[in-house]
Amino acid sequence: MQKKKIDFHVHSDFSSDSETPLENMVMTAVESGITDLAITDHVDYDYDLTADITSWEIDEAAYDEAIQQFKEQYRGTLNLYKGIEFGVQPHLAERMETFISRGNFDFVIASQHTVDGIDLYNGAYFNQYSALESIRHYYEMYDQCAKMTNAYSVLGHLDLYLRYKKDLKTVSVIQFMDIIDSIFDHIIYQGKGIEVNAGGHKYKLGDNNPTIDILRRYREKGGEVITLGSDAHTPNYLGLMHDENIALLDGLGFKYICSFEKMKPVFHSLNEFK
């Protein structure tokens, strides 16, 4: 039986921050032995835009058509899933639910890219707070976002702030476990999950997003719904750290990796990936 290889966080040129045609991502995934691939291009409303990126919206009809085309074209070779990465903010619940309801998605990542309407990427957010305050407020707002709607599958890269303010890695996340526990209690009860996002390695963090301390806590709390993604915006990062992260999750006591079909988790034994 073919060993499974999964990547459930991938971007194409339907995202404003990628120039790679969707077909190139799909073809490279097949060539690299990936068996299950979710395209999760960006949608972010009310975003702190820059001169380089003037919109984080998507051509919904063209996106659906392209994914359905390649799903059929590669059927039997690749399991392709229609996903989206939705940028959450507490006031966007209704807009998010409306968008997801019309999209016929398999999988939705809810990711906090902005806090107080400020993009983490440009660093301005961190100028307003001390190190401890910036992290605590980040998680407080993520807690609100996690509870604003159920129109998602997993929470994305839970400690994204580390990518854009690397010196905060010296601040122990244990200090914020009260808020993280609140997030986990809610999503576990609701049947939602988190992702292991290997993009942290691309950003030279030496770890995933989230880090091992958060993954361990999720498992201790009884969390089982977990996906694996590269956050690739170019083909060379597809499947990043895949086997290493399977071993990591195995060591932390996880038994399954999830894919999603029509917003329902499908549990795959870790043994299928070894």
Side-chain angles (χ1 to χ4, degrees):
M1 190 172 79
Q2 181 185 9
K3 181 176 81 169
K4 291 186 75 69
K5 186 175 182 180
I6 194 167
D7 194 334
F8 251 62
H9 192 144
V10 172
H11 298 285
S12 75
D13 60 355
F14 282 95
S15 281
S16 297
D17 58 351
S18 174
E19 297 180 356
T20 305
L22 194 155
E23 185 172 17
N24 289 18
M25 298 301 276
V26 172
M27 291 174 60
T28 303
V30 171
E31 292 165 0
S32 63
I34 290 173
T35 58
D36 295 79
L37 181 74
I39 307 298
T40 55
D41 281 324
H42 286 287
V43 169
D44 276 79
Y45 294 134
D46 291 353
Y47 197 82
D48 185 18
L49 298 170
T50 67
D52 296 327
I53 295 178
T54 58
S55 173
W56 284 99
E57 298 190 34
I58 199 168
D59 185 332
E60 296 176 51
Y63 186 57
D64 182 73
E65 182 180 357
I67 289 179
Q68 299 309 321
Q69 174 189 337
F70 296 124
K71 182 178 288 191
E72 288 302 318
Q73 182 175 336
Y74 289 91
R75 187 176 298 278
T77 303
L78 175 73
N79 299 315
L80 184 64
Y81 305 86
K82 182 184 178 184
I84 206 78
E85 182 178 9
F86 196 99
V88 292
Q89 299 183 62
H91 68 286
L92 292 178
E94 186 174 347
R95 290 184 73 181
M96 180 177 181
E97 289 168 356
T98 299
F99 179 88
I100 300 305
S101 68
R102 65 175 180 251
N104 193 29
F105 292 102
D106 290 307
F107 179 62
V108 176
I109 304 172
S111 294
Q112 181 174 246
H113 297 124
T114 65
V115 182
D116 301 333
I118 302 172
D119 180 10
L120 295 172
Y121 178 83
N122 63 31
Y125 166 74
F126 304 103
N127 297 330
Q128 304 178 83
Y129 303 98
S130 69
L132 291 178
E133 289 170 341
S134 68
I135 300 173
R136 179 161 290 276
H137 186 57
Y138 169 88
Y139 282 121
E140 287 171 345
M141 298 309 293
Y142 218 149
D143 189 30
Q144 289 187 35
C145 290
K147 296 171 182 175
M148 73 181 192
T149 178
N150 285 324
Y152 63 90
S153 310
V154 302
L155 299 179
H157 39 53
L158 269 172
D159 52 10
L160 179 67
Y161 63 89
L162 290 175
R163 292 190 188 177
Y164 308 122
K165 187 70 171 173
K166 292 183 174 62
D167 58 352
L168 292 181
K169 193 172 183 183
T170 62
V171 180
S172 172
V173 74
I174 302 302
Q175 301 174 73
F176 313 102
M177 281 301 178
D178 57 325
I179 313 172
I180 294 170
D181 281 351
S182 176
I183 295 171
F184 286 166
D185 287 343
H186 176 77
I187 65 172
I188 291 169
Y189 179 77
Q190 295 293 333
K192 309 300 180 183
I194 66 172
E195 68 163 353
V196 179
N197 185 310
H201 293 279
K202 181 177 70 173
Y203 285 85
K204 310 301 182 186
L205 296 178
D207 208 336
N208 300 293
N209 297 116
T211 62
I212 191 171
D213 289 332
I214 296 176
L215 294 176
R216 183 182 291 112
R217 186 66 161 196
Y218 178 65
R219 185 69 198 102
E220 290 170 350
K221 297 287 286 183
E224 291 189 321
V225 177
I226 196 159
T227 60
L228 201 59
S230 65
D231 209 345
H233 291 69
T234 54
N236 55 307
Y237 284 107
L238 281 165
L240 179 66
M241 299 294 292
H242 182 274
D243 292 350
E244 293 88 344
N245 280 329
I246 292 295
L248 171 68
L249 292 173
D250 194 10
L252 289 173
F254 288 92
K255 303 298 182 185
Y256 308 99
I257 295 290
C258 287
S259 61
F260 277 77
E261 297 180 16
K262 301 187 183 304
M263 299 295 287
K264 301 293 185 182
V266 179
F267 290 85
H268 306 276
S269 168
L270 283 185
N271 292 328
E272 298 179 50
F273 299 88
K274 297 178 182 177

